[in-house]
Amino acid sequence: MKCGLVAADGAVVHRETRPTPRAAGGRAVLDALLETVVELGQKATADGHRVRAIGVVVPGIISAAGTVVAENLAWAGTPVRTELVAAVGDDVPIVLAHDVRAGGYAELRQGALKGTSNSLFLPLGTGIAAAMVIDGRLVSGDGYAGELGHTRFIHGDAAELCACGQWGCLETVASAAALARRYAARSGRVVDGSREVLELLAAGDEIAAEVWRDALTVLVDALVLYTTLVAPTRIAIGGGLVGAGETLLQPLRDGVHARLTFQREPEIVAAVLGEEAGCLGAALYAWDRVEEIEEQS
Amino acid sequence: MKCGLVAADGAVVHRETRPTPRAAGGRAVLDALLETVVELGQKATADGHRVRAIGVVVPGIISAAGTVVAENLAWAGTPVRTELVAAVGDDVPIVLAHDVRAGGYAELRQGALKGTSNSLFLPLGTGIAAAMVIDGRLVSGDGYAGELGHTRFIHGDAAELCACGQWGCLETVASAAALARRYAARSGRVVDGSREVLELLAAGDEIAAEVWRDALTVLVDALVLYTTLVAPTRIAIGGGLVGAGETLLQPLRDGVHARLTFQREPEIVAAVLGEEAGCLGAALYAWDRVEEIEEQS
């Protein structure tokens, strides 16, 4: 869990990282979250700050009532808002949001998408979800929008079953996790994540080159698709894979450029906020809520 | 050209259809448009109405300056706004918009998408473009958004070259024009458009059944894709093919239902405004402009 204290101007005055006790189950994850929120509040007060709002982002779908479905956290309708209110009271607003969309919002406000009104934040991490910016706002679809990672780009016999139950999703080939898994499956050698695959790629390993080419092919497909449908002016790639830098970005630019005919070509850039994007986005959403409330009163 | 006079409450007080002189070239098409606008204005005045605004929608991409690129009309940067102002003056606002998006706007305001805030209008006509409703507004992408018809759904050797220069676009298999073209190519028999293919389908013709199945397959792919990415609550299918009614809609519903896993399932319905949707949308946009101007003054 990335967490922090963020001032009204977006400056991060304190940051820390805590473990997510996934293996211990959904209740343990929730307790760890509640403890974190309580302790960060205490730290803020001890440091002479006043907590004005709480922003929490999660990798899942949030209902209007604040219950969350998040497979990764073993949450199946977990009443996160109710539990947060029970833990810290309701003196200050509590904002719940989707982690990738919050990351996209941070990139939009302070990062690689600043100044755009139609753009895409696409983090390539363990999974792939997208944050769509349209008319200057993040698209939520009541929590369901942006699942570009679960769109089919592999067809026929080559399609692998995705964790989501569909076949041939982008995520099965182009996520950081998929790179490591596919390399291991082909080489018979277990690797330490996508970072090691990228090192092998740089060292001239042929199997690494093969799984990398597969990833680039479907990523180009996905970017062409999104460009055709939504016409973004800029696409910011984030997540672990963007550590590859131009090794990733230049083939994506070339591939997209070669495929487009009538479409408007987007800039393709690296996201700049890294792993903190979601955390920062949570805080920005929370401050937005403070502003809204002040405007109404 | 579908055209009409529309009152402030959206009621169509006069409607007519005029030929588009495509064969005579882009200048002739523009002249026909200008003549239509002038004559409709004269008719409105003669009938005792007062023209408050002019809405014109075109099947093309409109620049901020009001020039239009529309391959179908042989317009390559044609200064439509300037010519309209030269023809009728600038006493009333002139609104230019994209025809399919305007159709979607009409369906949103008065038709099958009324009451939705995240939905899709997908007319299957000569070509296929989509009008995306997100957060209650039509997505424009500066004129470039919504080209679902030019997204690749056919792969490998089966992909046909599309008029847009890409291969395997939805439009090459699932448009009304594609149905007729593909039937003719397989049967060696020229047919009178998609309507005849649908008649042959109803009569048990096997080739018609084959091209119809191909169209349904890629349409399901397209609806699943859009649902995964944008999570609409309702999709309204329009255009000539929706004349097939439940023969089209029920297989689409069944196909989408079978494919979705974690996504929110949209209602799939027929659009209700038919060929007039674009014309009505032009008028609704024009009245919106009148309201905006009144609010500012």
Side-chain angles (χ1 to χ4, degrees), chain A residues 39 84 91 101 108 125 184 193 195 197 211 216 221 228 248 250-251 269 280:
Chain A
E39 289 177 10
L84 279 166
D91 295 342
R101 260 188 302 284
L108 177 65
R195 175 182 295 227
V197 178
V211 299
L216 290 175
D221 283 346
T228 304
L248 173 68
Q250 197 54 48
V269 302
L280 182 57

Side-chain angles (χ1 to χ4, degrees), chain B:
Chain B
M1 291 187 279
K2 286 99 187 174
C3 35
L5 300 172
V6 179
D9 64 358
V12 182
V13 297
H14 169 72
R15 48 168 62 90
E16 60 184 87
T17 302
R18 296 182 171 215
T20 305
R22 273 203 190 83
R27 180 70 235 181
V29 171
L30 180 60
D31 286 339
L33 168 66
L34 298 173
E35 188 180 273
T36 300
V37 171
V38 169
E39 290 178 9
L40 276 173
Q42 289 165 347
K43 173 162 179 57
T45 307
D47 290 354
H49 303 297
R50 180 174 151 223
V51 175
R52 298 291 307 277
I54 297 165
V56 172
V57 300
V58 294
I61 293 172
I62 304 156
S63 74
T67 64
V68 176
V69 176
E71 214 174 303
N72 280 348
L73 307 179
W75 288 356
T78 300
V80 176
R81 176 179 298 282
T82 305
E83 293 266 359
L84 280 167
V85 169
V88 300
D90 56 2
D91 294 341
V92 300
I94 297 171
V95 179
L96 288 179
H98 184 267
D99 61 347
V100 173
R101 260 187 303 284
Y105 187 54
E107 293 286 351
L108 177 65
R109 286 277 302 273
Q110 305 193 1
L113 299 179
K114 198 169 171 180
T116 66
S117 65
N118 185 341
S119 53
L120 182 72
F121 172 53
L122 186 65
L124 308 174
T126 310
I128 300 178
M132 306 163 61
V133 176
I134 293 182
D135 288 334
R137 298 177 56 190
L138 272 293
V139 176
S140 149
D142 301 317
Y144 289 92
E147 298 290 352
L148 189 59
H150 296 289
T151 290
R152 186 165 72 181
F153 290 102
I154 315 287
H155 306 267
D157 293 344
E160 298 171 40
L161 181 62
C162 182
C164 77
Q166 299 179 102
W167 289 83
C169 294
L170 178 66
E171 191 169 299
T172 64
V173 173
S175 65
L179 269 189
R181 181 176 41 72
R182 297 184 88 233
Y183 183 86
R186 282 169 196 226
S187 65
R189 174 176 155 193
V190 175
V191 287
D192 185 22
S194 61
R195 172 182 295 228
E196 191 176 341
V197 178
L198 290 171
E199 285 166 6
L200 287 160
L201 175 73
D205 182 284
E206 280 185 23
I207 297 176
E210 200 179 297
V211 299
W212 183 246
R213 265 197 309 273
D214 288 350
L216 290 176
T217 299
V218 292
L219 284 171
V220 166
D221 284 346
L223 298 184
V224 168
L225 167 104
Y226 192 83
T227 298
T228 304
L229 190 58
V230 187
T233 58
R234 194 180 300 159
I235 295 172
I237 311 286
L241 282 198
V242 86
E246 291 301 307
T247 303
L248 173 68
L249 297 173
Q250 197 53 49
L252 294 183
R253 289 186 199 114
D254 293 344
V256 168
H257 181 78
R259 283 270 304 279
L260 299 183
T261 58
F262 66 95
Q263 302 97 324
R264 176 168 71 171
E265 187 165 344
E267 284 179 271
I268 298 174
V269 301
V272 298
L273 298 172
E275 293 200 332
E276 276 195 354
C279 174
L280 182 58
L284 294 172
Y285 276 136
W287 276 112
D288 285 354
R289 185 65 54 85
V290 172
E291 255 182 48
E292 272 172 38
I293 291 169
E294 283 178 350
E295 274 167 19
Q296 282 163 13
S297 67

